[in-house]
């Protein structure tokens, strides 16, 4: 198949001792997932995938032009932002050309020391891809990024051009490939009894006014008959959860992936958009039952109270970072395949000095993922949850050289390591919480990833 492209842009940026070389071509007929799969042999452990909820933007990264990571606790957001600004401060792109994307995430709690599948994972992990695909507005672009200290990189860059063409060709030839669902060998509910104990204890603390709300999560461990591939997993979540944000992020032998309904924040041309998503109920088996369940959720005092905590917190952050903002008075329903949520969108015009990573820092964790008050809730989570969430419930997303970007809250997610997957789900504990009800809510929240991985709960 002959490759076609319409235009090429080259940019060189000097940043301290590093030079940032960029070349972009427009490509016809290229599947993002097939491009992701084309890097399976050479770039396994160095890839990412992102698709927004509206399906208007898909980003794929193969290889690592540079990795930005840190374990700087309270300075971790600033450190990533500072390094990215330094690296891109001299980039001048044509208006219609896609910019280099910094993609990655921040762990939920940098102070968590529990051992497990997230051992040795940094508090902040971001990467610029060597080969970046962006599909937007019905156009697909592939960029080469070379970040180097070498004075003359012409030979290296020419090799990257050859490799890019090989990757594109492989993706075009194989783009119709489908993947079977994985075959689960066993499912283990980790610390199930302890989870009930934790919910009881946290409920008692809340009844004693030590906190208003605390989110307690738990995990499932899945064993598979065969090792799974990253493209196989991305393919399944694309089919199972098309109405959600879809993401996959590899680091060495770990793939973190998910299909989340929840935006943390989006920034475009100094306008910020967020969403208050808290309070949930299952979907009905019929349209009539679904409507009744939705109406029940809209009038349920426990869920409305949980939702209002998130609304109040996000409104407070927007009031500090925005010249003006808009916030509806009442929530509406956000319906996805397995669950429906209370949902209130928020948007505002940012002050000139405000940035997306500043918003990410101040919004995370929202009361929907941590609790109220934030610091006390985090202390209680560390004491009673007895697991490390890693990137689960943390911010995951992207930022470009102009400061535009989008971060989602990494729920409905899982970590895959070799033949094991770890699924995560949680719920907000308040004064009248019931352990069995909370447990059943986590079962609903496990469903998207469990189904994508070939399993199900018996009802």
């Amino acid at each position: 198949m002959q490759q076609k492209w319409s235009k090429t842009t080259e940019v060189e940026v000097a940043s301290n001792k590093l030079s940032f070389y960029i070349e972009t071509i427009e490509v016809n007929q290229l599947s993002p997932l097939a491009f992701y799969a084309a890097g399976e042999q050479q770039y396994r452990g160095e890839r990412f995938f992102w698709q927004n909820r509206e399906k208007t933007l898909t980003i794929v990264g193969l290889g690592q032009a540079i990795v930005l990571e840190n374990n700087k606790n309270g300075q971790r957001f600033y450190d990533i932002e500072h390094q990215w600004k330094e690296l891109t401060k001299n980039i001048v792109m044509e208006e219609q050309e896609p910019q280099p994307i910094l993609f990655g995430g921040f762990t939920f709690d940098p102070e968590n020391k529990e051992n497990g599948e997230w051992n040795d994972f940094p508090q902040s992990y971001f990467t610029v891809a060597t080969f970046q695909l962006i599909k937007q507005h019905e156009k697909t672009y592939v960029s080469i990024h070379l970040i180097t200290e070498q004075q003359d990189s012409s030979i290296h860059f020419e090799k990257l051009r050859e490799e890019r063409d090989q990757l594109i060709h492989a993706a075009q030839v194989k783009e119709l490939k489908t993947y079977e669902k994985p075959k689960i060998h066993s499912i283990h509910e980790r610390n199930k009894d302890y989870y009930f104990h934790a919910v009881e204890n946290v409920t008692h603390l809340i009844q004693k006014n030590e906190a208003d709300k605390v989110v307690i999560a738990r995990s499932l461990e899945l064993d598979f008959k065969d090792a799974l591939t990253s493209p196989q997993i991305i393919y399944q979540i694309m089919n199972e959860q098309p109405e959600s944000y879809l993401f996959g992020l590899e680091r060495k032998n770990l793939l973190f992936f998910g299909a989340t309904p929840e935006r943390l924040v989006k920034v475009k041309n100094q306008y910020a958009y967020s969403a208050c998503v808290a309070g949930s109920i299952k979907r009905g088996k019929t349209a009539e039952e679904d409507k009744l369940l939705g109406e029940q959720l809209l009038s349920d005092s426990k869920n409305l109270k949980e939702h209002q905590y998130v609304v109040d917190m996000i409104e407070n952050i927007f009031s500090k970072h925005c010249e003006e903002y808009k916030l509806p008075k009442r929530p509406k329903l956000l319906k996805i395949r397995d669950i429906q949520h209370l949902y209130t969108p928020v948007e505002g015009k940012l002050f000139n000095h405000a940035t997306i990573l500043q918003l990410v820092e101040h919004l995370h964790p929202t009361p929907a993922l941590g609790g109220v008050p934030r610091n006390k809730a985090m202390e209680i989570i560390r004491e009673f949850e007895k697991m490390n969430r890693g990137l689960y419930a943390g911010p995951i997303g992207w930022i470009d050289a102009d400061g535009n970007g989008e971060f989602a809250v990494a729920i409905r997610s899982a970590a895959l390591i070799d033949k094991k997957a770890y699924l995560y789900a949680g719920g907000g504990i308040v004064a009248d919480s019931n352990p069995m009800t909370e447990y059943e809510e986590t079962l609903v929240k496990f469903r998207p990833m469990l189904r994508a991985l070939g399993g199900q709960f018996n009802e």
Side-chain angles (χ1 to χ4, degrees):
M1 182 178 295
Q2 185 176 3
Q3 176 59 41
K4 299 179 180 178
W5 54 73
S6 61
K7 52 191 172 184
T8 301
T9 300
E10 292 190 46
V11 181
E12 178 183 347
V13 181
S15 177
N16 297 326
K17 296 181 180 179
L18 294 176
S19 292
F20 193 153
Y21 300 93
I22 305 170
E23 180 178 279
T24 299
I25 62 172
E26 184 179 344
V27 186
N28 295 329
Q29 299 178 339
L30 184 61
S31 158
L33 180 59
F35 187 73
Y36 184 89
E40 180 68 17
Q41 295 303 315
Q42 186 165 353
Y43 293 111
R44 186 183 305 169
E46 299 180 352
R47 293 175 293 179
F48 63 79
F49 183 97
W50 168 272
Q51 189 173 80
N52 65 1
R53 193 170 59 206
E54 299 80 13
K55 303 298 168 274
T56 57
L57 175 66
T58 305
I59 309 171
V60 173
L62 307 180
Q64 296 174 332
I66 196 169
V67 173
L68 306 181
E69 60 181 47
N70 67 52
N71 290 299
K72 294 193 174 182
N73 295 301
Q75 293 296 308
R76 61 185 182 146
F77 298 92
Y78 170 80
D79 180 71
I80 295 295
E81 181 172 68
H82 176 71
Q83 290 189 69
W84 181 235
K85 284 183 176 179
E86 283 297 304
L87 193 62
T88 59
K89 62 184 178 182
N90 296 320
I91 286 183
V92 179
M93 305 287 293
E94 291 186 17
E95 187 174 342
Q96 300 303 317
E97 293 292 329
Q99 295 192 14
I101 295 296
L102 181 70
F103 184 88
F106 299 94
T107 58
F108 178 77
D109 180 11
E111 296 184 34
N112 188 299
K113 307 301 181 186
E114 293 284 341
N115 287 321
E117 62 273 17
W118 293 99
N119 286 356
D120 302 322
F121 198 93
Q123 297 170 8
S124 311
Y125 177 71
F126 286 80
T127 180
V128 177
T130 302
F131 302 101
Q132 171 187 290
L133 177 147
I134 290 185
K135 184 176 181 180
Q136 188 174 30
H137 306 309
E138 304 303 319
K139 292 182 179 292
T140 303
Y141 298 90
V142 175
S143 300
I144 298 172
H145 299 144
L146 175 61
I147 301 174
T148 179
E149 295 180 348
Q150 295 178 10
Q151 294 298 311
D152 183 4
S153 302
S154 57
I155 296 176
H156 187 183
F157 207 89
E158 186 58 37
K159 289 181 179 179
L160 292 177
R161 287 190 181 104
E162 293 175 4
E163 186 176 355
R164 172 199 62 199
D165 295 345
Q166 292 169 359
L167 289 166
I168 291 171
H169 178 264
Q172 289 174 327
V173 169
K174 299 177 181 179
E175 66 178 332
L176 297 178
K177 182 174 180 180
T178 59
Y179 298 86
E180 292 184 357
K181 279 200 173 180
K183 291 181 172 56
I184 296 175
H185 181 263
S186 64
I187 300 177
H188 172 58
E189 297 190 59
R190 297 201 290 181
N191 300 317
K192 178 179 176 180
D193 292 337
Y194 188 85
Y195 171 79
F196 285 98
H197 170 76
V199 172
E200 288 178 356
N201 278 279
V202 172
T203 301
H204 291 154
L205 291 176
I206 293 171
Q207 290 170 347
K208 294 192 296 183
N209 297 318
E210 294 197 24
D212 296 319
K213 173 190 174 181
V214 179
V215 177
I216 296 297
R218 68 188 191 97
S219 67
L220 298 180
E221 180 180 313
L222 276 55
D223 285 283
F224 296 90
K225 294 180 179 178
D226 303 302
L228 308 184
T229 70
S230 189
Q232 177 185 15
I233 299 305
I234 302 298
Y235 175 85
Q236 298 300 336
I237 64 172
M238 289 177 72
N239 285 338
E240 292 284 347
Q241 300 292 326
E243 66 284 299
S244 299
Y245 290 93
L246 307 179
F247 60 86
L249 177 62
E250 294 181 333
R251 183 179 183 269
K252 299 179 181 178
N253 68 332
L254 184 148
L255 166 69
F256 181 65
F257 64 96
T260 176
E262 186 170 347
R263 169 190 287 161
L264 182 64
V265 63
K266 174 183 178 179
V267 170
K268 184 176 182 180
N269 300 325
Q270 283 302 107
Y271 277 85
Y273 308 84
S274 188
C276 311
V277 181
S280 61
I281 200 167
K282 66 181 180 179
R283 297 298 304 269
K285 295 180 179 179
T286 65
E288 292 77 12
E289 183 188 8
D290 199 60
K291 182 180 178 183
L292 288 173
L293 286 168
E295 291 172 350
Q296 178 184 331
L297 179 60
L298 286 167
S299 60
D300 182 78
S301 59
K302 175 184 180 292
N303 280 288
L304 286 169
K305 186 176 181 180
E306 280 193 52
H307 187 78
Q308 194 60 44
Y309 285 138
V310 182
V311 171
D312 291 344
M313 179 267 201
I314 292 182
E315 181 180 15
N316 179 50
I317 299 301
F318 267 57
S319 70
K320 294 176 180 177
H321 290 82
C322 296
E323 298 175 8
E324 55 185 38
Y325 65 91
K326 294 190 295 185
L327 177 69
K329 292 182 178 180
R330 296 180 182 85
K332 54 185 178 181
L333 294 174
L334 174 63
K335 294 175 181 274
I336 55 177
R337 180 170 179 179
D338 296 285
I339 196 168
Q340 43 191 324
H341 295 279
L342 294 175
Y343 169 77
T344 301
V346 189
E347 62 181 85
K349 175 67 169 67
L350 291 174
F351 292 120
N352 288 334
H353 58 79
T355 68
I356 186 170
L357 288 183
Q358 289 171 8
L359 286 169
V360 169
E361 177 179 10
H362 290 101
L363 288 169
H364 173 74
T366 71
L369 283 308
V372 180
R374 177 187 283 175
N375 290 338
K376 183 61 179 178
M378 294 295 282
E379 291 176 7
I380 294 172
I381 290 170
R382 290 182 199 117
E383 180 178 357
F384 288 100
E385 208 168 70
K386 297 305 178 187
M387 72 173 193
N388 191 335
R389 295 189 186 186
L391 288 175
Y392 163 67
I396 189 165
W398 62 274
I399 180 173
D400 69 15
D402 285 339
N404 298 314
E406 185 166 24
F407 282 79
V409 180
I411 56 175
R412 313 294 185 269
S413 57
L416 176 70
I417 303 175
D418 300 322
K419 293 184 180 181
K420 289 183 181 290
Y422 304 89
L423 282 59
Y424 309 98
I429 311 304
V430 291
D432 58 349
S433 286
N434 176 279
M436 182 54 69
T437 302
E438 298 297 334
Y439 171 80
E440 291 171 349
E441 181 178 330
T442 64
L443 296 182
V444 174
K445 293 175 177 178
F446 279 131
R447 277 184 194 149
M449 291 305 100
L450 186 60
R451 185 189 294 111
L453 293 169
Q456 64 180 11
F457 285 116
N458 294 322
E459 297 190 19

